[in-house]
Amino acid sequence: MRIALDPYMYRNLSLGKMVDKVAELGYEHIELSPREDFLPFYKAPRVDKARIKEFRKALSDTGVKLSSLLPMYHWAAADEGLRVAAVRNWKRAIQIAVAMDCELVNTEFTGQSDNPLVCENQFMRSMDELIPEFEREGIKLDIQAHPYDFCERNNESVDIIRGLDRDWVNYLYAAPHTFFYDDGVGDIASMLKYAGSKLSHLIIADTYNHKASSGLRYIVNPPGVTATVHQHLDIGQGEVDWAAFFGTLREIKFDGIATVSVFAWEDRPDESNRMMLERVKSELCR
């Protein structure tokens, strides 16, 4: 199993200094989430040969490895222009993964939860175009459901991925999305076991149950506004059932990537990420 850090809270550091920081914190792997000087959210990659060389050197100098890249594009957009641009950006991101010797990318379904059928059809259209690219370059793909994506549910997401019927396309379970995955029930053990052999990737952070307290755990104004809310907190600060989470992973002998992904504490990122690494190691490296 590989424990990685999503270094989003350090995105204002240069690539080299970010890698140094990850090594200093004790992590051996990086899952590179969107940042403006590499793979920005939804826009074309900002990477040339020189920047790839810089990043590879920083990794080599520290011994830190790149577990995955996390591109984010509107590949399930109802708007066809956005979808076409997303496919173009995806093709470039795949080339960058190859240049970085990174065999895995992970991402989200995207789209819109209030237009699920159209967005799912667009996603499938994008996959039809991208599957040959992934297979030619030997790049694997892990997909997560994210709040407000066209699919937010655990079991349905797993089934969509199974329906693609590609060994190299697998499922990412994001603990901070737990209460979207089964409408606030939070039955982690059942959801992880449903994913079964397709579960290859985790995002680890705590969150609140947005359905609790009669839907008032969070208050969003104006009432009825179309919005989704969740947090990426330190373990123990929210309502995820961590005993069930880690216990089930040990039971099923999970051996994929576990990515620490806390966003809430940019005022104390080192403290947060050190604590998270210690906890994940103590639970999953027994």
Side-chain angles (χ1 to χ4, degrees):
M1 189 191 67
R2 287 170 284 174
I3 301 174
L5 177 66
D6 178 338
Y8 191 72
M9 291 197 289
Y10 303 105
R11 65 194 178 280
N12 294 324
L13 298 179
S14 69
L15 281 167
K17 288 183 178 178
M18 178 271 291
V19 175
D20 288 342
K21 172 59 70 174
V22 172
E24 174 195 319
L25 293 170
Y27 287 83
E28 296 179 359
H29 294 88
I30 290 173
E31 178 174 301
L32 191 68
S33 56
R35 49 180 286 151
E36 285 300 312
D37 62 353
F38 209 83
L39 298 174
F41 279 106
Y42 305 117
K43 295 182 286 190
R46 304 318 201 215
V47 188
D48 59 5
K49 292 183 181 68
R51 189 158 286 168
I52 288 171
K53 184 177 179 180
E54 173 194 353
F55 192 14
R56 289 180 61 111
K57 183 177 187 304
L59 292 168
S60 176
D61 288 348
T62 59
V64 174
K65 296 179 175 59
L66 187 61
S67 61
S68 61
L69 293 173
L70 200 174
M72 193 74 67
Y73 304 121
H74 290 297
W75 61 343
D79 181 286
E80 178 63 4
L82 285 176
R83 192 202 66 81
V84 168
V87 169
R88 181 183 65 241
N89 293 339
W90 259 114
K91 289 177 180 178
R92 176 61 179 142
I94 291 168
Q95 294 172 356
I96 292 164
V98 172
M100 289 297 305
D101 287 332
C102 182
E103 66 174 13
L104 174 69
V105 296
N106 58 286
T107 191
E108 300 167 6
F109 281 124
T110 73
Q112 299 167 262
S113 61
D114 55 0
N115 199 8
L117 182 57
V118 169
C119 291
E120 181 176 340
N121 289 339
Q122 291 287 78
F123 166 76
M124 291 299 180
R125 186 173 184 181
S126 295
M127 286 300 294
D128 285 343
E129 296 177 42
L130 290 170
I131 281 172
E133 303 284 332
F134 279 105
E135 292 186 335
R136 181 172 59 252
E137 302 297 348
I139 302 297
K140 299 176 183 177
L141 174 65
D142 290 344
I143 306 175
Q144 64 165 302
H146 191 279
Y148 196 61
D149 283 0
F150 73 81
C151 181
E152 298 176 306
R153 300 302 186 92
N154 180 86
N155 292 10
E156 184 182 357
S157 298
V158 172
D159 289 343
I160 290 170
I161 290 168
R162 285 191 182 280
L164 293 169
D165 201 20
R166 296 295 196 282
D167 290 343
W168 50 270
V169 184
N170 287 292
Y171 181 58
L172 186 159
Y173 184 99
H177 308 158
T178 288
F179 299 107
F180 284 88
Y181 286 167
D182 65 354
D183 202 29
V185 177
D187 186 357
I188 288 179
S190 170
M191 291 189 285
L192 291 174
K193 289 177 181 178
Y194 190 88
S197 63
K198 297 307 287 183
L199 178 67
S200 63
H201 207 139
L202 308 167
I203 284 179
I204 301 180
D206 213 337
T207 195
Y208 293 115
N209 184 352
H210 63 289
K211 291 284 189 175
S213 294
S214 303
L216 296 175
R217 185 70 85 222
Y218 297 89
I219 298 173
V220 179
N221 290 313
V225 68
T226 301
T228 57
V229 292
H230 69 288
Q231 290 280 6
H232 283 236
L233 303 166
D234 292 347
I235 289 173
Q237 294 180 331
E239 296 171 293
V240 170
D241 184 346
W242 292 105
F245 181 80
F246 289 121
T248 304
L249 292 170
R250 291 193 295 268
E251 179 184 341
I252 66 177
K253 296 180 171 57
F254 176 79
D255 192 31
I257 296 172
T259 301
V260 169
S261 183
V262 175
F263 302 146
W265 305 117
E266 289 186 2
D267 53 332
R268 53 170 187 80
D270 292 5
E271 177 188 342
S272 172
N273 287 320
R274 283 196 176 99
M275 182 281 292
M276 291 289 289
L277 177 60
E278 222 175 276
R279 178 66 182 275
V280 174
K281 278 184 172 179
S282 72
E283 295 281 4
L284 296 180
C285 298
R286 296 182 177 183

